[in-house]
């Protein structure tokens, strides 16, 4: 197959980790007879510096016309002072919205050989963590009206959170379908004791639950979910939630494994177009030193093969190469322990590529 991938390397360590994912994809192409063509587009701070905007309309066009999009990371302290309207994050939200990427899949898996990196006790993570957060990505308070105005002599800021039935239903369906292919458990997280959006959310999820009797379904309030994630993370299989709750809980979940540099993500539309990125940030403090962990990006490329290109065997090949490299004791600095061999970002990418 021939596939066109638009690559948004972004800022900080973005270009370094992306280079390793492209290296691994190159090997997959050779091995399985595919050709991947790459179009590089600036996003975030690097685009602000060059064009004064975090993504240009031409850049956005190249995302829309691609078979899929691979993203490194955006932002950094250098651009913290730019006006709100052109902040690096704006580009990310715009790409999500324009490409219709309403379903964000964020898996959190504890790699057994990295268990000691978890900040949680062995008694809590000992049974393993393998959960998937399905986060609604194009609705809710992120995309409601935001205003700051003077009312009766004082400043009042307002952010509107709104959800329509169809937005909830389509993300709910993704979550139930995903749970069906995993351990068949789904927890829907809301704040139905306070929010109208959550009450609608819950009623839509309950109707869907009737269509999926094979999935063991439960509701859980977001504050309790935050607590349960550290108390007993092993109870979760798939978690579905709205945009902002998903933002917060997915950071919490990623930390349970202690190796945020390993965690991939996929943002999917109703078609095959998706955007794939590691969940960590641009880490400007270590940029340019060839010490970042490229595995989150490499595993994101595997998700791209699986979800956008329907290449399951190719995705499996990447994932098992990553397992093997870790089992052989190779570690980047962020997951290094003294009994292991420390390798650079580019060496890690080569090790994975060689095993494909
Ligand atoms: C994420 C990030 C973004 C979000 C920011 C950078 C806008 O935190 O992808 O989780 O809040 O969605
Ligand atoms: Mg976040």
């Amino acid at each position: 197959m021939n596939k066109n991938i638009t690559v948004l390397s972004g800022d900080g360590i973005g270009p370094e980790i992306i280079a390793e994912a492209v290296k691994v994809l190159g090997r997959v192409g050779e091995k399985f007879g595919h050709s991947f063509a790459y179009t590089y587009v600036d996003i975030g701070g690097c685009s602000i510096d060059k064009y004064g905007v975090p993504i240009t309309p031409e850049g956005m066009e190249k995302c829309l016309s691609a078979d899929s999009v691979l993203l490194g990371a955006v932002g950094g302290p250098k651009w913290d002072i730019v006006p709100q309207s052109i902040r690096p994050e704006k580009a990310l939200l715009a790409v999500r919205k324009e490409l219709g990427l309403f379903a964000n899949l964020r898996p959190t898996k504890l790699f057994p050989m990295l268990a000691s990196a978890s900040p949680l006790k062995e008694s809590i993570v000992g049974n393993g963590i393998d959960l998937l957060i399905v986060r609604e990505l194009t609705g809710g308070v992120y995309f409601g009206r935001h205003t700051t105005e003077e009312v009766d002599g004082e400043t009042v800021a307002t952010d509107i959170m709104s959800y329509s039935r169809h937005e909830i239903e389509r993300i709910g369906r993704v979550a139930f379908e995903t749970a069906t292919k995993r351990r068949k458990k789904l927890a829907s997280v809301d704040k139905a004791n306070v929010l109208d959006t959550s009450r609608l959310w819950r009623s839509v999820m309950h109707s869907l639950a009737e269509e999926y009797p094979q999935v063991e379904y439960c509701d859980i309030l977001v504050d309790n979910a935050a607590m349960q994630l550290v108390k007993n993370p092993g109870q979760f299989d798939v978690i579905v939630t709205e945009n902002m709750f998903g933002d917060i809980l997915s950071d919490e979940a990623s930390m349970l494994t202690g190796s945020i540099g390993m965690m991939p993500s996929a943002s999917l539309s109703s078609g095959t177009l998706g955007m794939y990125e590691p969940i960590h940030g641009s880490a400007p403090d270590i940029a340019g030193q060839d010490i970042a962990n490229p595995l989150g990006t490499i595993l994101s490329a595997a998700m791209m093969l699986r979800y956008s290109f329907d290449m399951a065997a190719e995705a499996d090949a990447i994932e098992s190469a990553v397992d093997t490299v870790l089992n052989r004791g190779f570690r980047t600095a962020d997951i290094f322990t003294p009994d292991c061999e420390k390798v650079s970002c580019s060496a890690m990418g080569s090790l994975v590529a060689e095993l494909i």
Side-chain angles (χ1 to χ4, degrees), residues 96 106 135 142 246-248 250-251 279:
R96 289 174 182 171
R106 297 190 166 180
R135 169 189 176 193
Y142 274 63
D247 177 46
I248 298 166
S250 63
D251 265 30
I279 70 164

Side-chain angles (χ1 to χ4, degrees), residues 258-298:
S259 40
I260 193 169
M262 306 280 309
M263 298 300 142
S265 80
S267 301
L268 309 175
S269 64
S270 51
T272 56
L273 178 59
M275 177 162 76
Y276 301 83
E277 61 184 295
I279 70 164
H280 60 72
S282 60
D285 52 323
I286 59 162
Q289 297 174 40
D290 195 21
I291 58 170
N293 186 343
L295 294 177
T297 318
I298 290 170

Side-chain angles (χ1 to χ4, degrees), residues 4 47 60 88-89 92 97 132 141 147 150 157 192 223-224 335:
N4 295 312
S47 175
M60 185 67 83
E89 295 83 357
L92 201 54
K97 195 70 175 180
L132 174 72
V141 72
T147 53
E150 295 302 313
D223 46 353
N224 187 22
I335 50 174

Side-chain angles (χ1 to χ4, degrees), residues 124-201:
I124 294 176
V125 295
N127 294 331
I129 302 174
D130 182 8
L131 62 88
L132 174 72
I133 296 187
V134 178
R135 169 189 176 193
E136 200 291 327
L137 202 59
T138 51
V141 72
Y142 274 63
F143 294 93
R145 201 159 47 85
H146 306 287
T147 53
T148 303
E149 57 200 338
E150 295 302 313
V151 179
D152 297 335
E154 75 165 330
T155 312
V156 177
T158 308
D159 300 290
I160 306 260
M161 177 170 186
S162 137
Y163 267 105
S164 59
R165 182 177 288 279
H166 87 271
E167 290 176 297
I168 302 172
E169 196 180 323
R170 67 182 180 181
I171 190 72
R173 234 172 243 296
V174 170
F176 276 98
E177 288 292 333
T178 308
T180 306
K181 292 181 204 128
R182 293 174 44 108
R183 300 195 307 280
K184 302 187 175 48
K185 283 180 71 180
L186 176 63
S188 167
V189 173
D190 64 34
K191 189 71 184 170
N193 51 350
V194 177
L195 301 176
D196 262 39
T197 44
S198 283
R199 285 187 276 270
L200 178 60
W201 180 279

Side-chain angles (χ1 to χ4, degrees), residues 30-351:
E30 275 167 37
K31 179 86 191 269
F32 292 84
H34 304 302
S35 100
F36 301 119
Y38 304 98
T39 305
Y40 288 83
V41 167
D42 291 310
I43 189 169
C46 59
S47 175
I48 296 174
D49 288 349
K50 275 195 207 163
Y51 310 108
V53 287
I55 188 164
T56 62
E58 300 76 47
M60 185 67 83
E61 241 351 279
K62 291 190 173 123
C63 294
L64 279 162
S65 61
D67 292 317
S68 94
V69 179
L70 188 62
L71 172 71
V74 294
K78 181 177 172 200
W79 302 282
D80 275 348
I81 36 119
V82 303
Q84 178 62 28
S85 60
I86 58 158
R87 282 188 65 90
E89 295 83 357
K90 281 271 171 192
L92 201 54
L93 299 184
V95 172
R96 289 174 182 171
K97 195 70 175 180
E98 295 254 334
L99 273 61
L101 306 175
F102 69 89
N104 183 215
L105 310 191
R106 297 190 166 180
T108 292
K109 205 170 122 194
L110 184 78
F111 289 80
M113 51 289 202
L114 302 181
S116 61
S118 174
L120 296 185
K121 291 195 193 95
E122 168 75 29
S123 59
I124 294 176
V125 295
N127 294 331
I129 302 174
D130 182 8
L131 62 88
L132 174 72
I133 296 187
V134 178
R135 169 189 176 193
E136 200 291 327
L137 202 59
T138 51
V141 72
Y142 274 63
F143 294 93
R145 201 159 47 85
H146 306 287
T147 53
T148 303
E149 57 200 338
E150 295 302 313
V151 179
D152 297 335
E154 75 165 330
T155 312
V156 177
T158 308
D159 300 290
I160 306 260
M161 177 170 186
S162 137
Y163 267 105
S164 59
R165 182 177 288 279
H166 87 271
E167 290 176 297
I168 302 172
E169 196 180 323
R170 67 182 180 181
I171 190 72
R173 234 172 243 296
V174 170
F176 276 98
E177 288 292 333
T178 308
T180 306
K181 292 181 204 128
R182 293 174 44 108
R183 300 195 307 280
K184 302 187 175 48
K185 283 180 71 180
L186 176 63
S188 167
V189 173
D190 64 34
K191 189 71 184 170
N193 51 350
V194 177
L195 301 176
D196 262 39
T197 44
S198 283
R199 285 187 276 270
L200 178 60
W201 180 279
R202 199 176 270 211
S203 89
V204 173
M205 290 296 161
H206 285 192
S207 316
L208 285 170
E210 287 177 19
E211 284 182 45
Y212 294 87
Q214 70 278 30
V215 174
E216 188 191 322
Y217 173 88
C218 72
D219 302 302
I220 177 164
L221 293 171
V222 62
D223 46 353
N224 187 22
M227 195 168 74
Q228 294 299 327
L229 271 174
V230 286
K231 192 170 163 216
N232 178 15
Q235 72 184 284
F236 294 110
D237 177 17
V238 180
I239 293 174
V240 62
T241 192
E242 66 86 38
N243 205 342
M244 189 159 69
F245 297 162
D247 177 46
I248 298 166
L249 293 181
S250 63
D251 265 30
E252 186 189 5
S254 69
M255 253 300 127
L256 301 177
T257 66
S259 40
I260 193 169
M262 306 280 309
M263 298 300 142
S265 80
S267 301
L268 309 175
S269 64
S270 51
T272 56
L273 178 59
M275 177 162 76
Y276 301 83
E277 61 184 295
I279 70 164
H280 60 72
S282 60
D285 52 323
I286 59 162
Q289 297 174 40
D290 195 21
I291 58 170
N293 186 343
L295 294 177
T297 318
I298 290 170
L299 291 168
S300 299
M303 288 186 95
M304 176 176 85
L305 299 179
R306 191 181 301 285
Y307 290 101
S308 281
F309 301 164
D310 203 17
M311 297 179 183
E314 292 84 336
D316 288 346
I318 295 182
E319 286 162 2
S320 77
V322 168
D323 274 351
T324 305
V325 167
L326 292 172
N327 276 325
R328 291 186 182 167
F330 296 106
R331 303 282 188 271
T332 43
D334 57 316
I335 50 174
F336 176 72
T337 45
D339 50 334
C340 294
E341 185 173 337
K342 195 185 279 184
V343 295
S344 65
C345 174
S346 51
M348 184 57 105
S350 299
L351 284 163

